[in-house]
Amino acid sequence: MSLLNTLNDDMKLAMKAKEKNVLQVIRMIKASLQNDQIKLGRELNADEELTVLSREMKQRRDSLVEFQKANRDDLVEKIEEEIAIVEKYLPAQLTDEEIRQIVKQAIQKVGATSNTAFGQVMGIVMPQVKGKADGNLVNETVKEELNNL
């Protein structure tokens, strides 16, 4: 079942249950997916759907940080709810230790000896963790591991 079909089914359930917040988030995700389909002129494959979901999650996480800095607790709570809804459609997230293991393997594969190999390591790691880990967390982990060399 494609993500759009899943979203349509969940949208119907949210309408019946009168869950306005869930319905709003599902509609936003669905609109993003459909916009990408229109841009490409074809159906999205699973990897492209994952890219859209990751983008939606990143936007919400960025907003969360900004709202926290501004002490907007009312908006923080709303964004946290939206993040929980989007997470339902993403694959299971990797643990910190799993990310660290992938980063260590990439460092060995590249033969990195200093921070100058950061781009090469990230180039190997990111496709492996796409949609399964926050990019900022991966970035920090790569920096830590390269600094420990």
Side-chain angles (χ1 to χ4, degrees):
M1 180 187 272
S2 78
L3 181 58
L4 274 176
N5 291 338
T6 303
L7 289 170
N8 283 330
D9 292 345
D10 289 352
M11 195 164 73
K12 289 174 192 170
L13 293 172
M15 282 184 207
K16 288 178 184 174
K18 295 182 177 18
E19 296 173 327
K20 290 181 183 177
N21 292 343
V22 174
L23 188 58
Q24 179 187 10
V25 174
I26 291 173
R27 282 183 173 149
M28 282 193 268
I29 294 170
K30 192 173 168 199
S32 291
L33 288 167
Q34 289 172 330
N35 285 340
D36 277 22
Q37 279 184 341
I38 291 168
K39 281 182 200 171
L40 296 173
R42 60 174 171 77
E43 295 287 319
L44 299 178
N45 62 35
D47 194 42
E48 292 164 336
E49 289 176 343
L50 187 59
T51 300
V52 173
L53 282 174
S54 297
R55 185 175 60 226
E56 289 290 318
M57 181 60 86
K58 182 179 181 342
Q59 289 173 350
R60 284 168 176 79
R61 285 193 175 131
D62 291 347
S63 296
L64 180 65
V65 170
E66 293 302 316
F67 292 151
Q68 287 171 334
K69 284 181 187 175
N71 293 323
R72 292 293 310 267
D73 295 333
D74 55 327
L75 295 174
V76 167
E77 193 174 303
K78 184 178 184 296
I79 288 291
E80 286 174 341
E81 288 175 14
E82 289 184 15
I83 287 172
I85 295 166
V86 175
E87 280 178 340
K88 288 181 5 185
Y89 301 102
L90 285 169
Q93 298 295 293
L94 297 171
T95 65
D96 290 350
E97 191 53 43
E98 290 170 326
I99 294 169
R100 194 166 301 281
Q101 205 54 37
I102 291 170
V103 168
K104 286 178 180 178
Q105 289 171 356
I107 288 172
Q108 286 178 342
K109 188 173 185 178
V110 171
T113 56
S114 69
N115 288 342
T116 57
F118 178 80
Q120 293 174 312
V121 174
M122 286 295 286
I124 293 172
V125 172
M126 287 311 288
Q128 294 178 47
V129 300
K130 185 176 183 179
K132 299 176 191 168
D134 179 33
N136 292 332
L137 177 62
V138 174
N139 189 325
E140 290 171 19
T141 305
V142 170
K143 285 178 183 175
E144 281 177 28
E145 289 298 322
L146 287 173
N147 286 332
N148 291 339
L149 293 176

